[in-house]
Amino acid sequence: MSDVVLRAEGLHRTYGSGETAVHAVSDVSLEVRAGELVVLRGASGSGKTTLLNLLGGLDTPTSGTVSLGDRDVTGADESELVELRRRDLGFVFQGFALLPVLSAAENVELPMRIGGMPATEREERTAELLEAVGLTGHENQRPDELSGGQQQRLGIARALANSPRLLIADEPTGQLDSTNADAMMALIARLVHERGVAAIVSTHDPRMAAYADRILELRDGRLVRGRHAA
């Protein structure tokens, strides 16, 4: 785990100005390496989602920098950001964000289709990813025909479709019961370690820290603690 995939330095994100300014993220610096699962803990309102949006190029910091490998995310224009998200970033959302009119296989295949991957390769990779997340046999089901845990596993498969260097997951267990939440984090940890993906996962659930290689604590927009998991 020697290769730094993600590096953030001195990130600030402020909304508004003057006495009404909200400092959502304040002076955050961090690194995430290939094959490392970093869990970002913090209460609701601590700035976790804002920070993840900055790291994934979905929002622009007020100051500070984000780099993915040797690419400057904060200095990229919109077309470069689109390409970066398409090829190097995978996102897993709390609300699943699956397309309801597409089947499970079509949801996974879509990022590859957009990226121009040949049909035969798309089909093979879709089957491999569905098998990796335990959804073989569910290829033709639509999201509303799947359980919450199955939908979140499908979201992970889709996020890995284009072999991203970095996986960002915002409260991926937030809508799951404790059994499915544990299974979800175990799956993410296994895939991160097997595939050498760098991953940063936010959660307010202290139990999820058990799956981390390293834990970061965010409070009022600031990193207050970082440690390696036991």
Side-chain angles (χ1 to χ4, degrees), residues 55-70:
L55 297 177
L58 299 176
D59 192 9
T60 303
T62 305
S63 61
T65 60
V66 176
S67 300
L68 187 60
D70 58 358

Side-chain angles (χ1 to χ4, degrees), residues 5 33-37 160 163-167 191-199:
V5 173
R33 299 175 183 274
E36 182 183 31
L37 173 56
L160 295 173
S163 301
R165 301 177 64 190
L166 175 67
L167 179 69
L191 292 173
V192 164
H193 296 147
E194 286 180 355
R195 295 167 184 263
V197 180

Side-chain angles (χ1 to χ4, degrees), residues 81-95:
L81 286 173
V82 169
E83 186 68 14
L84 194 68
R85 296 183 200 117
R86 180 183 299 165
R87 296 191 177 276
D88 293 320
L89 290 166
F91 294 93
V92 179
F93 302 97
Q94 179 178 348

Side-chain angles (χ1 to χ4, degrees), residues 109 112 116-123:
E109 184 186 19
M112 295 180 271
M117 186 181 292
T120 301
E121 190 176 347
R122 290 200 311 266
E123 292 172 6

Side-chain angles (χ1 to χ4, degrees), residues 97-104 106-107 141-145 158:
L98 301 167
L99 294 177
V101 298
L102 299 183
S103 68
E106 289 167 339
N107 265 282
Q141 290 182 276
R142 293 186 178 182
D144 63 0
E145 298 174 312
R158 183 188 56 188

Side-chain angles (χ1 to χ4, degrees), residues 36 40 56 82 85-86 105 108 112 123 130 134 136 142 145 157 160 170 173 175 178 195 203 206 215 219 223-224:
E36 182 183 31
L40 178 66
V82 169
R85 296 183 200 117
R86 180 183 299 165
V108 175
M112 295 180 271
E123 292 172 6
L130 288 173
T136 298
R142 293 186 178 182
E145 298 174 312
L160 295 173
D170 188 9
T173 64
Q175 296 194 38
S178 59
R195 295 167 184 263
T203 182
I215 301 162
R219 186 181 303 154
L223 286 180
V224 295

